[in-house]
Amino acid sequence: MFKSAESVERLVNWLARLPGIGRKSAARLAFHILKMEASEALELADIIRDVKEKVSFCKTCFNISEVDPCHTCTDPNRHADLICVVEEAMDAAALDKAEGFKGLFHVLGGRLSPLDGIGPDDLRIKELLGRLEDVKEIIVATNPNVEGEATATYISRLIKPMGIKVTRIARGLPVGSDLEYADAVTLTRAIEGRQEL
Amino acid sequence: MFKSAESVERLVNWLARLPGIGRKSAARLAFHILKMEASEALELADIIRDVKEKVSFCKTCFNISEVDPCHTCTDPNRHADLICVVEEAMDAAALDKAEGFKGLFHVLGGRLSPLDGIGPDDLRIKELLGRLEDVKEIIVATNPNVEGEATATYISRLIKPMGIKVTRIARGLPVGSDLEYADAVTLTRAIEGRQEL
């Protein structure tokens, strides 16, 4: 593509491997980086080095963290008897931004997916079971799709018999959305999950 | 967002400054980089360093290049009497990938845009005029929008009086598209630019 600039070609190739970035977007990004001040572009090089050196996993909740245990796990203002189970660290970050949850997290590192060969042993389920002492409630916040639901059911069947309350995040209409355009399954869930006013 | 991983937060912030990448996409990309092998992620750091150190502009055509003059300008198989004028280096790369053009390029570095305060002196127009000796034809391949057309008209008015042929790339229906869905202006251009079969 850029015959006279092999390094730019390499940059495009690297960026095009990122999820959701095709070759055209990659070229646009590479071109943007080219036009940046050198100091700003080199900052990314430093940040990536930093991320790779410092960031690891909290060995309690398996969220990404620079310290172990992470700040969330050691925060005295959080309720240690309430654990929210999510698939990925991104999900925990999203829930953390939304107010209203003050418990701890547990990152499974994926969801059950027999088609992809991902079974219970590939997720941090054993580690979750090891955290249940003194826990009163587990909120399962896996994604509301087939695999996420299967994972939720699996976890619930494991933990409920231990006398711990297991709940699932509500599925219904997104706030600000239009009932007219909602799909049938979401509407069914919204009606099933109705609450008294 | 990632309270326990400040470097990840910095990575998200950096990525979110790229064009077309919002905070959510930036978080997804950062997370992907986190999951990468360290060697693969650090490769980007190296590439960016490389790009910033090596890549500059060809002082003849102003395309990006690691050498000056660039490989295109010095290629003996290209017709030196034919110059294609484009707005950005990306455009030259796109035209180069499409077969059928074997001339040289000239990158203006933008387009005339009085509203943004970009006048002729901000583009490499003077440098273009300095390359016209022995040139038989200038193809103006600025973008087919208002500013691109204005830039094309400006260049044509400058160069035509010098006895050099100035042409404009064809505007019409994209190959593989559907006449039914084309906009009126494109259809008008397609009819205006009709050619005998």
Side-chain angles (χ1 to χ4, degrees):
Chain A
M1 192 165 192
F2 297 103
K3 281 182 201 160
S4 293
E6 198 224 329
S7 54
V8 180
E9 190 66 42
R10 279 172 64 210
L11 181 57
V12 173
N13 289 339
W14 196 97
L15 293 169
R17 290 202 300 258
L18 292 173
I21 309 242
R23 270 199 77 80
K24 280 200 181 177
S25 310
R28 205 175 331 120
L29 294 180
F31 192 59
H32 182 84
I33 291 173
L34 257 170
K35 281 180 144 187
M36 269 180 187
E37 289 292 314
S39 61
E40 199 185 348
L42 291 175
E43 197 193 333
L44 178 62
D46 287 340
I47 294 173
I48 286 188
R49 213 170 288 275
D50 239 35
V51 163
K52 280 296 163 190
E53 272 167 22
K54 291 184 191 163
V55 179
S56 175
F57 292 101
C58 165
K59 288 197 185 60
T60 309
C61 71
F62 297 94
N63 202 344
I64 52 170
S65 173
E66 291 183 5
V67 286
D68 180 31
C70 72
H71 295 322
T72 306
C73 284
T74 52
D75 186 346
N77 294 321
R78 286 182 165 266
H79 309 302
D81 55 359
L82 176 62
I83 294 182
C84 180
V85 177
V86 293
E87 297 182 15
E88 303 284 359
M90 283 270 296
D91 304 329
L95 282 165
D96 211 24
K97 236 179 14 185
E99 277 162 49
F101 178 70
K102 284 285 162 225
L104 305 182
F105 288 106
H106 189 86
V107 180
L108 292 174
R111 68 259 176 288
L112 293 179
S113 174
L115 286 176
D116 300 321
I118 298 171
D121 292 341
D122 300 307
L123 306 179
R124 268 79 182 239
I125 290 179
K126 221 180 302 159
E127 289 85 349
L128 173 64
L129 298 180
R131 292 180 68 186
L132 296 184
E133 212 182 324
D134 302 327
V135 166
K136 292 203 186 101
E137 180 179 350
I138 296 284
I139 304 175
V140 187
T142 50
N143 285 323
N145 52 31
V146 177
E147 293 162 334
E149 297 294 353
T151 312
T153 308
Y154 181 86
I155 290 174
S156 149
R157 284 196 189 146
L158 269 183
I159 297 179
K160 250 185 175 165
M162 303 160 83
I164 295 167
K165 189 173 164 189
V166 181
T167 55
R168 179 87 175 99
I169 44 161
R171 280 130 315 164
L173 290 166
V175 176
S177 69
D178 211 321
L179 202 138
E180 191 182 343
Y181 300 119
D183 65 289
V185 185
T186 300
L187 283 175
T188 306
R189 293 293 196 169
I191 291 172
E192 279 172 6
R194 66 187 179 280
Q195 286 173 316
E196 217 170 292
L197 288 173
Chain B
M1 191 166 190
F2 298 102
K3 280 182 204 161
S4 293
E6 197 224 329
S7 53
V8 179
E9 191 65 42
R10 279 173 65 211
L11 181 57
V12 173
N13 289 339
W14 196 97
L15 292 170
R17 289 202 300 258
L18 292 174
I21 308 239
R23 270 199 77 79
K24 281 201 178 175
S25 310
R28 204 173 334 118
L29 293 180
F31 192 58
H32 182 85
I33 291 173
L34 258 169
K35 282 181 143 186
M36 269 181 188
E37 290 291 315
S39 61
E40 198 185 349
L42 292 175
E43 197 193 333
L44 177 63
D46 288 339
I47 294 173
I48 286 188
R49 214 170 286 275
D50 239 36
V51 163
K52 280 296 164 191
E53 273 168 20
K54 291 185 191 163
V55 179
S56 176
F57 292 100
C58 164
K59 287 195 186 65
T60 308
C61 71
F62 297 94
N63 202 343
I64 51 170
S65 174
E66 291 182 4
V67 286
D68 180 32
C70 72
H71 294 322
T72 306
C73 285
T74 52
D75 187 345
N77 293 321
R78 287 184 165 264
H79 310 302
D81 55 359
L82 177 62
I83 294 181
C84 180
V85 178
V86 293
E87 295 181 16
E88 303 284 359
M90 284 270 298
D91 304 329
L95 283 166
D96 211 25
K97 236 178 15 185
E99 277 164 48
F101 178 70
K102 284 286 161 223
L104 304 182
F105 287 106
H106 189 86
V107 180
L108 292 175
R111 66 258 177 288
L112 292 179
S113 173
L115 286 177
D116 300 321
I118 299 172
D121 293 340
D122 301 307
L123 307 179
R124 266 79 182 239
I125 290 179
K126 222 179 302 157
E127 289 84 349
L128 174 63
L129 298 179
R131 291 180 68 186
L132 296 183
E133 212 182 325
D134 301 327
V135 166
K136 291 204 186 100
E137 182 178 349
I138 295 284
I139 304 175
V140 187
T142 50
N143 286 322
N145 52 31
V146 177
E147 292 162 336
E149 297 294 353
T151 312
T153 308
Y154 180 86
I155 290 174
S156 148
R157 284 195 189 148
L158 269 184
I159 297 179
K160 250 187 176 165
M162 302 161 83
I164 296 168
K165 190 173 164 188
V166 181
T167 56
R168 180 87 175 99
I169 43 161
R171 280 130 313 163
L173 291 166
V175 177
S177 69
D178 212 320
L179 201 136
E180 192 181 341
Y181 300 118
D183 63 290
V185 185
T186 300
L187 284 174
T188 305
R189 292 293 196 170
I191 291 172
E192 280 172 5
R194 67 188 179 279
Q195 286 172 317
E196 217 171 292
L197 288 173

